[in-house]
Amino acid sequence: MSRSGADLALLLLGGFRSLVDAATAELARRGHEDVRPVHDFAMRAIAAGADNASELGRRLSVSKQAAAKTIAVLQERGYVARDADPLDARRKRLQVTALGFEVLRQGESIFDELREEWARRIGAGELARLESHLAALVGARPVRPDAPGWIAQDLNGPP
């Protein structure tokens, strides 16, 4: 059976969605039912230095207004805080809270569990080959969803 390039793209997207949806559902089961994938991307960008709405918007390739809405949601839920800048008291800098880092750690752990599940389903060797082939095709470094060029999803998603 011959597949088209579009079929390949949809299969890759399906694999991504399958992992992300399963991780989101597991986070919800663990008490974080309010976390969405874009929240992870935003918290990672903030932890990496995006300390205001403008910079977060640039890193997620969204408007400053969309980034500000995401920041407001993350603050409301306790995942991000605004702290006074030690160099300029008029400026507030974004920081990921301890709760935010805990959610990020849990998400990473869940993705490890999901990878193990895939290894059981198709075999560890097959999964290693799949990862090797994908790395050869797209590069060994993972995509950084908090870097320009990543097409961000709607930041307002379901609450």
Side-chain angles (χ1 to χ4, degrees):
M1 170 168 107
S2 179
R3 292 188 179 263
S4 69
D7 289 337
L8 173 60
L10 290 172
L11 280 170
L12 292 168
L13 180 60
F16 172 80
R17 287 302 321 185
S18 173
L19 289 170
V20 168
D21 290 349
T24 302
E26 182 58 27
L27 271 173
R29 279 190 287 283
R30 295 182 186 189
H32 300 287
E33 57 280 335
D34 55 357
V35 175
R36 301 291 174 261
V38 73
H39 299 151
D40 178 273
F41 302 152
M43 286 190 287
R44 288 180 188 284
I46 292 166
D51 64 357
N52 61 57
S54 295
E55 181 59 24
L56 182 61
R58 276 191 291 280
R59 294 207 190 182
L60 297 179
S61 297
V62 299
S63 70
K64 178 181 174 182
Q65 292 77 13
K69 287 180 182 180
T70 298
I71 291 166
V73 168
L74 292 172
Q75 275 189 278
E76 178 183 304
R77 296 174 181 172
Y79 299 127
V80 168
R82 288 185 196 266
D83 298 324
D85 186 325
L87 302 176
D88 183 353
R90 297 168 296 173
R91 186 170 183 250
K92 300 288 185 189
R93 297 176 63 189
L94 293 170
Q95 300 276 339
V96 177
T97 65
L99 178 60
F101 280 116
E102 177 57 27
V103 168
L104 290 173
R105 279 190 294 277
Q106 283 189 39
E108 290 170 3
S109 174
I110 290 166
F111 277 112
D112 288 344
E113 293 166 16
L114 292 169
R115 186 189 181 285
E116 289 173 17
E117 180 184 320
W118 278 28
R120 283 190 299 275
R121 289 173 64 186
I122 67 171
E126 285 298 317
L127 183 57
R129 280 188 283 285
L130 173 62
E131 290 171 329
S132 177
H133 289 304
L134 287 171
L137 293 168
V138 301
R141 300 184 76 155
V143 169
R144 291 216 22 228
D146 66 333
W150 173 263
I151 300 173
Q153 297 178 357
D154 177 14
L155 293 179
N156 299 319

